[in-house]
Amino acid sequence: MKVSEAVQTRRTIRAFKDEPVPEEVIREVLELARHAPSNSNTQPWRIDIVSGAARQRLQDAIFAEIQAGVKPYPAFPPGGTGLKGRYKERQRECAFQYFAAVGIDKEDKKARMGLSMKNWEFFGAPHAAFLSYPATMHRANAIDMGIFLQTIMLLFVERGVASCPQGALATYPGPVKAMLPVPEENAILCGLSFGYADTEAQINSTAAKMEREPVDVFASITS
Ligand SMILES: Cc1cc2nc3c(=O)[nH]c(=O)nc-3n(C[C@H](O)[C@H](O)[C@H](O)COP(=O)(O)O)c2cc1C
């Protein structure tokens, strides 16, 4: 598979088969992803992956916090913070298209909340990864994390593995840090649920495919 094909094939998948991804495939992807570039080669990334019974225990622990009424407490401001104008508009369009794709009325707050809760079920994926980096690092180093994340997602695509990047998985870091060997000084930036796509699921239908702006909206080339 060419990189161009992997870039175009990747999309966020939110329903998965139970079948786990073999550990050697996960290790191969990490082995390749470590070649991602980073500022001054600092390689700030840390990834902690949870599968099987431990994955279920972590899901239960996160839900226990949510059900106890604990409000989200991410270390970094969530991705939607401070959105205005066209960005706010795109966020709204994305949400409405997503709800429509699964037959949820945009006014139906309860159904929307139910869908949102699936984030902490890892959308049924057999594996969830948590990406963290030192909390003291500047946000410029988040670029390194983003490059690392996309490298992993594309390498997964090449191997038929689907994934869902999730800012939501940074919002209840307590159980994650208690159960996984995330370095104490690190803060969780996002998660990545992954596995084999359930291609029959409505939530993965092409109706949920997000379009992009044309190049001239975001680029200029001056000579
Ligand atoms: C950093 C990041 C955080 C995201 N957080 C979430 C999330 O918490 N829950 C979710 O369902 N999707 C999440 N997404 C998926 C985006 O909604 C998705 O990438 C976007 O709508 C474009 O769709 P595509 O990935 O299918 O091309 C996130 C994506 C990124 C890159």
Side-chain angles (χ1 to χ4, degrees), residues 10-12 14 94 98 119 123 164-168 210 212:
R10 188 215 58 80
R11 46 182 294 240
T12 294
R14 297 187 178 92
C94 171
Y98 175 33
N119 270 291
F123 290 105
C164 179
Q166 290 168 264
M210 298 294 154
R212 299 294 195 271

Side-chain angles (χ1 to χ4, degrees), residues 7 10-14 79 94-95 98 115-116 118-120 123 146 149 153 163-171 189-191 203 208-212:
V7 168
R10 188 215 58 80
R11 46 182 294 240
T12 294
I13 289 298
R14 297 187 178 92
C94 171
Y98 175 33
L115 185 59
S116 169
K118 289 189 181 297
N119 270 291
W120 296 283
F123 290 105
L149 175 66
M153 291 193 290
S163 63
C164 179
Q166 290 168 264
L169 294 186
T171 54
L189 189 57
C190 69
I203 200 166
K209 181 166 168 43
M210 298 294 154
E211 294 306 328
R212 299 294 195 271

Side-chain angles (χ1 to χ4, degrees), residues 11-199:
R11 46 182 294 240
T12 294
I13 289 298
R14 297 187 178 92
F16 297 84
K17 295 179 182 158
D18 292 337
E19 184 190 347
V21 178
E23 189 167 323
E24 55 272 26
V25 173
I26 300 174
R27 285 194 174 277
E28 185 188 30
V29 163
L30 298 177
E31 176 63 37
L32 291 163
R34 74 195 171 92
H35 296 287
S38 59
N39 201 322
S40 299
N41 200 25
T42 47
Q43 307 162 66
W45 43 73
R46 166 87 196 178
I47 183 165
D48 290 281
I49 299 172
V50 68
S51 314
R55 173 215 167 284
Q56 188 59 47
R57 280 199 299 278
L58 180 58
Q59 176 180 321
D60 294 345
I62 295 174
F63 269 86
E65 288 204 344
I66 296 172
Q67 275 147 12
V70 178
K71 296 277 171 256
Y73 52 99
F76 303 108
T81 309
L83 293 188
K84 288 185 196 155
R86 71 171 74 164
Y87 307 107
K88 186 81 199 157
E89 196 43 46
R90 284 180 198 155
Q91 183 194 42
R92 280 167 52 86
E93 276 171 23
C94 171
F96 292 157
Q97 187 185 330
Y98 175 33
F99 301 143
V102 289
I104 290 178
D105 187 296
K106 62 184 180 189
E107 306 300 336
D108 186 348
K109 277 196 179 157
K110 200 167 163 225
R112 280 167 44 184
M113 183 57 73
L115 185 59
S116 169
M117 295 299 277
K118 289 189 181 297
N119 270 291
W120 296 283
E121 292 170 6
F122 315 121
F123 290 105
H127 312 278
F130 293 84
L131 283 90
S132 67
Y133 77 131
T136 49
M137 276 198 184
H138 195 272
R139 64 185 179 186
N141 294 95
I143 297 170
D144 307 336
M145 300 300 292
I147 293 172
F148 182 66
L149 175 66
Q150 171 76 331
T151 303
I152 288 176
M153 291 193 290
L154 296 181
L155 289 164
F156 271 152
V157 168
E158 192 187 23
R159 288 157 182 78
V161 178
S163 63
C164 179
Q166 290 168 264
L169 294 186
T171 54
Y172 290 95
V176 181
K177 292 193 82 172
M179 293 177 66
L180 304 182
V182 179
E184 189 52 40
E185 69 274 19
N186 276 22
I188 294 164
L189 189 57
C190 69
L192 184 74
S193 296
F194 65 91
Y196 296 106
D198 176 355
T199 49

